[in-house]
Amino acid sequence: MTEWRPVTVGVCLAACTEALVYGMTGQFTLVGGVTGSALTGYVVGTDPADGGWHGLMAGVVWGCLLMPISILLTFLNQTPILFPFQYLIPMFETPGELTTAIMLALALPNVASGMVGSLARRDATGTWFDPSMAEVEAVEDA
């Protein structure tokens, strides 16, 4: 089951990070979503599978907010699309290949960074090196 509070925390960090990057470069990148997913994985707990899932959810929610804004600004300001893709588009021959590449490029980094966030929390609590500390009671959200 998805815990939405960690996802909200990650999306807020993604928005702040992406606003900073856009202000500095004038382009949207994947940096905001990846950092937000890492924080989401860290906040959700020490299980890498949960971190990956919640990182993906943070990436999906952030993408639902970012993509319409990015497309609108692309048409209004004549700015390039999301940073790495303007260089990758000529490499693909069919729309299906391009769509698959974009979906994988948007999803997999968020899953990986969510897992890394959970592993960082596990390392910070000592369970990475001491398996006996991994046996903690789960606390249910109210």
Side-chain angles (χ1 to χ4, degrees):
M1 188 106 184
T2 302
E3 296 179 34
W4 291 104
R5 279 183 259 168
V7 172
T8 304
V9 168
V11 170
C12 289
L13 177 65
C16 293
T17 304
E18 201 61 47
L20 182 66
V21 170
Y22 183 78
M24 291 174 22
T25 66
Q27 288 185 317
F28 289 109
T29 65
L30 301 177
V31 173
V34 171
T35 56
S37 293
L39 181 64
T40 299
Y42 185 85
V43 170
V44 80
T46 60
D47 183 21
D50 271 347
W53 172 253
H54 287 84
L56 178 64
M57 289 296 99
V60 167
V61 171
W62 175 236
C64 289
L65 299 172
L66 177 66
M67 284 300 118
I69 294 169
S70 176
I71 291 168
L72 179 66
L73 288 175
T74 298
F75 287 129
L76 292 178
N77 297 336
Q78 301 297 318
T79 59
I81 60 174
L82 195 61
F83 169 62
F85 297 114
Q86 70 259 32
Y87 302 111
L88 299 177
I89 287 175
M91 297 171 53
F92 300 105
E93 296 177 8
T94 65
E97 289 176 355
L98 178 62
T99 302
T100 302
I102 288 174
M103 291 298 122
L104 288 174
L106 293 178
L108 291 179
N110 292 319
V111 171
S113 67
M115 290 174 63
V116 168
S118 288
L119 290 174
R121 181 169 182 165
R122 177 183 283 189
D123 189 29
T125 59
T127 58
W128 183 270
F129 299 107
D130 185 9
S132 65
M133 291 184 70
E135 307 299 324
V136 295
E137 297 285 327
V139 177
E140 294 291 325
D141 283 340

